[in-house]
Every structure is written in structure tokens, then in C-alpha cells.
Amino acid sequence: MPNLDRRSVLSLGVALGLVGAAGPATGWASTRSGTKAAAGTGPEWIWDDAADPLMVKMLDGGHVPAINTAWAAWENNNDPLPGGLPAEFTAYLKQVNRLPSWADPAKLARAADFNRRRDTYLFMLYGLGSGIMSTVIPREAKSVYWSAGGADMQDRAAKTFTFGYDLSQLGAFEPTGQFVVTANKTRVVHAAVRHLLPQSPHWRAVADEAVPISAADILVTFHSLGTYVHRKLLDWKIPYPAADQEAFLHSWQVAVHLLGVPDEHIPGTWAAAEQQAARVLTPILTPSTEGIALAGELLGLTAQIDLGVTRGFLNEFVRYVLSDQVGDWLGLKRDYTSAALVRTVWPAFILFREGLSPVMPGAFYVFDQFVRALAMLFLNKGASATTTGITIPTGNRAAG
């Protein structure tokens, strides 16, 4: 099967609402120094001292519509900051619109090439692994559901799609790339949601936190994305040399930094990331009313573009990449014929694609159509534009 368009790489996981609040995290360690955070000082107690107060002023002052208009054409990393912004907002962007000093251009370039070479696996794992995992991370599911974007998941997917698309590009972090701008816009949206969501009586009724999207929440989201995919690639025995592993991690380290997480809490190695994920992600996975509803909406989107992909096949692939327990939590109906197909043909599909077997699996076409159907769903705006605009919300989801 030919490689998917790079717009598909990394996109679906984020498109399904993953850049947002996540689950409760305890026992955090400062993974770069290896020392344990003191009570009340860990990432679960950190939000965004730079962006949060700014967005309170912008929202309460009625400046957000003008900001959304002004930054609509601000796309490339080397674009000048847009005019027409409040002075205080421009001053903030001048401070954050840059890569960290420790960013390694060579590693970032290799990460982009890795994304290109492993696009199919990444697409499937981010979309049907990480994407659906987000619906059983209670804080994330509740925050996504009751935010403004939760009322129209296809629109939310189209808008947040650009995060993964820009991250996947060969020049994502270079001057002509777009990821630094995209990350800065996303960070501002997070700050707006932190101010808006606590005003929602519906969110307050189900939330176990006063303010969403802490640094810990963003790190849990990173583990449901990067750490999860890293482990699956190893488990599937896909060729994954150490240099690729290091570059892939580095791209995520830079991405998480750009979202405002303090560097001392960003895992420095995959070993540290996996240890942290085992403490703070795996134990908190559980269903919620909101998460079950979101999973149904997200999996139902594929019905709009059916290239021979059945819902039963989709349900069974989710069970394969997550677990039957997650499938049961979400009420995914069993299709035992599809289950047998997935569990026998997918490993053969990998071997054939990697040149490790000369035998094309008999159901190769099924998997080919499966990937393409999902890709088309989230690439539907690719023919007319390469970037979907990120806008700052001004409200929350209404009841229902």
C-alpha cells in the first residue's frame, strides 16, 4: 500500500480531541532530575501563568473575536505576528513564539522523516488507539464533551486536525513550517478553556477538579499519544532503530514544551515516560457517561465514508489496539468474524509492508480500504486548504 498523505500522520489522534484535559495524576516525578515533586508543587498544580491571566482579560474584555480574525492568516513559523491584536496579546506572543534553546534541529528533522516512513502505523494507532483511549480518560472525556467543541465533534476534529498535520510535516519546526504557530494557538485555546469551562454548570456537576488542563493533564495526554504509540511499535516488532526512537521522543518533548509544560516535568527518556505512564495513565482509565457518548460519535463518523469498512470491523480493531475491557466499557458490539480477521491478518499485513514476508495477506485490500476510509474522513478539507483554522472559543457546550 502506498504511504498515506503526510496530512494523515499523527492527525487523527489529536483530531479526536486529544489536545485537552486528561485524567487525574498523582505521584509525579520531575523526570529530568529524577526527584519527586513536593505536595502542591507537582504538574497537577501547574496551569499556565503566562497565558491564563492573559486570556481572562481577552475573554472578559470581548477581544477574542478580533483576535480570531487577526490571526486567521498567521500560519508559518516565520510569519510576522499578525496586526490588529491587543498590545498585551502581541507582547505575550513575542515571548513564546520560538523553539526552546534545547531543541535539536537534526532530531526534529529525523522525527519528521520517521513520521513519513511510519505513517500508516502512526495513523492507525493515534486514531483508533489514542483517539478512543481519550474517551476512557474521565477528565479528558468530560472536558471535551462539555466544551464548545464537544457539541460538533466533526467540526472539532477538522479544527484540531491541524495540530497533528503541522507536527508531521518534514519542515514542521523550520521557519517555513507551521507547528510553532499551531502550538502557540493551541496553548491559547487551552487557557481560554480553563477560564470558560468552570463557568459551565454541566461540567461542574461531573468534574472532580476546579480548573481543567493542568500540566499533569497535558502530560497524561502525551502518554496516551506518544508513549502509547512508542510501546505499540515495539510490541508489533516494527523496525524502530534507536535514533528514530530518540527523534520521535524529542519531537514530542518540544511539542509539550510549546504547550506550556515546564521542562522539568517532561520525560527525558522513553524509559522515564513509560514508568510515568504506568503510574498516572493506566490506573485512571475508566468509562464515563460523556466518554461513552463521545466514542459513539467518533466511531460513527466513519459511516459517512464507507469503502467497505464495517462498524464491526472498526469496533474489533479498537479492541485489538486497546483491549476487550475498553471495548466492553464503551459498549462496542462484538463481530467475531472481524475479530479473527484483525488478529490474524494485521500481523501479516505488517510483515508484508516491512518486506519481512513476500506473501501478501489475503485481506490486504480490506486493510487498505480501512486506512483509506479513515484518512479520507479527516482529510476532507485537504483539497481546498492545507491548514484548518484554530479559533479561540467564547463559550461552552449547552445542555444535551
Side-chain angles (χ1 to χ4, degrees):
M1 186 177 93
N3 283 349
L4 295 172
D5 187 291
R6 288 197 302 273
R7 284 171 295 192
S8 66
V9 187
L10 304 179
S11 61
L12 184 55
V14 181
L16 296 184
L18 294 173
V19 182
T26 57
W28 290 88
S30 178
T31 51
R32 287 186 179 274
S33 65
T35 59
K36 199 157 200 172
T41 62
E44 66 268 37
W45 300 101
I46 297 171
W47 288 271
D48 195 327
D49 289 342
D52 290 350
L54 172 69
M55 290 315 299
V56 171
K57 292 180 181 179
M58 297 299 105
L59 284 161
D60 291 352
H63 300 298
V64 167
I67 293 172
N68 283 333
T69 298
W71 79 1
W74 182 45
E75 297 178 354
N76 293 338
N77 298 335
N78 63 352
D79 284 348
L81 295 180
L85 298 173
E88 190 172 1
F89 195 84
T90 298
Y92 162 79
L93 291 179
K94 287 180 178 178
Q95 294 177 356
V96 301
N97 192 41
R98 60 174 66 92
L99 292 174
S101 60
W102 45 264
D104 186 326
K107 289 181 181 179
L108 294 176
R110 182 169 186 124
D113 185 60
F114 166 76
N115 293 335
R116 177 188 60 80
R117 288 182 279 112
R118 293 288 176 252
D119 54 7
T120 298
Y121 309 129
L122 295 175
F123 180 78
M124 300 300 287
L125 286 172
Y126 279 125
L128 297 177
S130 302
I132 303 306
M133 189 192 303
S134 73
T135 69
V136 292
I137 298 175
R139 285 188 176 179
E140 178 161 354
K142 293 172 183 179
S143 294
V144 167
Y145 186 88
W146 289 113
S147 67
D152 186 342
M153 286 306 296
Q154 186 164 16
D155 180 67
R156 178 186 175 89
K159 289 180 178 178
T160 57
F161 166 85
T162 192
F163 188 94
Y165 168 46
D166 293 343
L167 178 58
S168 74
Q169 295 304 288
L170 289 174
F173 296 92
E174 296 176 3
T176 55
Q178 298 183 343
F179 185 74
V180 177
V181 170
T182 297
N184 279 314
K185 289 183 176 182
T186 302
R187 181 176 177 179
V188 166
V189 170
H190 284 175
V193 171
R194 290 189 193 101
H195 181 53
L196 292 169
L197 207 49
Q199 300 175 34
S200 166
H202 311 294
W203 179 78
R204 292 200 308 270
V206 297
D208 65 350
E209 56 186 341
V211 181
I213 320 181
S214 68
D217 294 334
I218 296 173
L219 284 166
V220 169
T221 297
F222 155 67
H223 290 309
S224 74
L225 285 156
T227 307
Y228 163 77
V229 169
H230 168 74
R231 173 44 49 192
K232 279 294 186 183
L233 292 177
L234 293 175
D235 290 346
W236 285 352
K237 296 180 171 53
I238 292 169
Y240 187 25
D244 281 353
Q245 295 184 40
E246 187 175 359
F248 182 49
L249 174 61
H250 190 66
S251 68
W252 273 107
Q253 290 170 329
V254 175
V256 171
H257 167 92
L258 291 173
L259 292 177
V261 175
D263 290 349
E264 63 267 24
H265 294 296
I266 301 174
T269 65
W270 279 124
E274 292 201 83
Q275 291 171 6
Q276 197 178 75
R279 293 196 310 274
V280 304
L281 172 62
T282 307
I284 59 92
L285 298 177
T286 195
S288 65
T289 300
E290 291 81 1
I292 292 170
L294 288 175
E297 290 182 48
L298 296 170
L299 291 171
L301 290 177
T302 59
Q304 300 175 27
I305 302 176
D306 187 353
L307 298 179
V309 178
T310 68
R311 176 61 187 269
F313 188 85
L314 186 65
N315 288 352
E316 291 300 335
F317 201 92
V318 170
R319 286 176 175 272
Y320 177 66
V321 296
L322 289 179
S323 68
D324 281 332
Q325 182 180 49
V326 171
D328 291 343
W329 284 345
L330 297 175
L332 303 185
K333 293 182 179 179
R334 298 305 310 257
D335 181 333
Y336 291 102
T337 299
S338 292
L341 183 68
V342 169
R343 295 172 189 276
T344 58
V345 177
W346 182 253
F349 178 80
I350 291 175
L351 288 174
F352 181 76
R353 289 206 75 228
E354 294 303 315
L356 302 176
S357 169
V359 180
M360 178 187 294
F364 184 94
Y365 180 76
V366 173
F367 284 95
D368 177 75
Q369 293 301 294
F370 185 31
V371 176
R372 289 174 184 275
L374 291 171
M376 286 179 65
L377 177 63
F378 290 96
L379 294 176
N380 58 3
K381 293 194 176 184
S384 60
T386 58
T387 300
T388 301
I390 296 176
T391 56
I392 306 168
T394 56
N396 299 305
R397 178 178 185 156

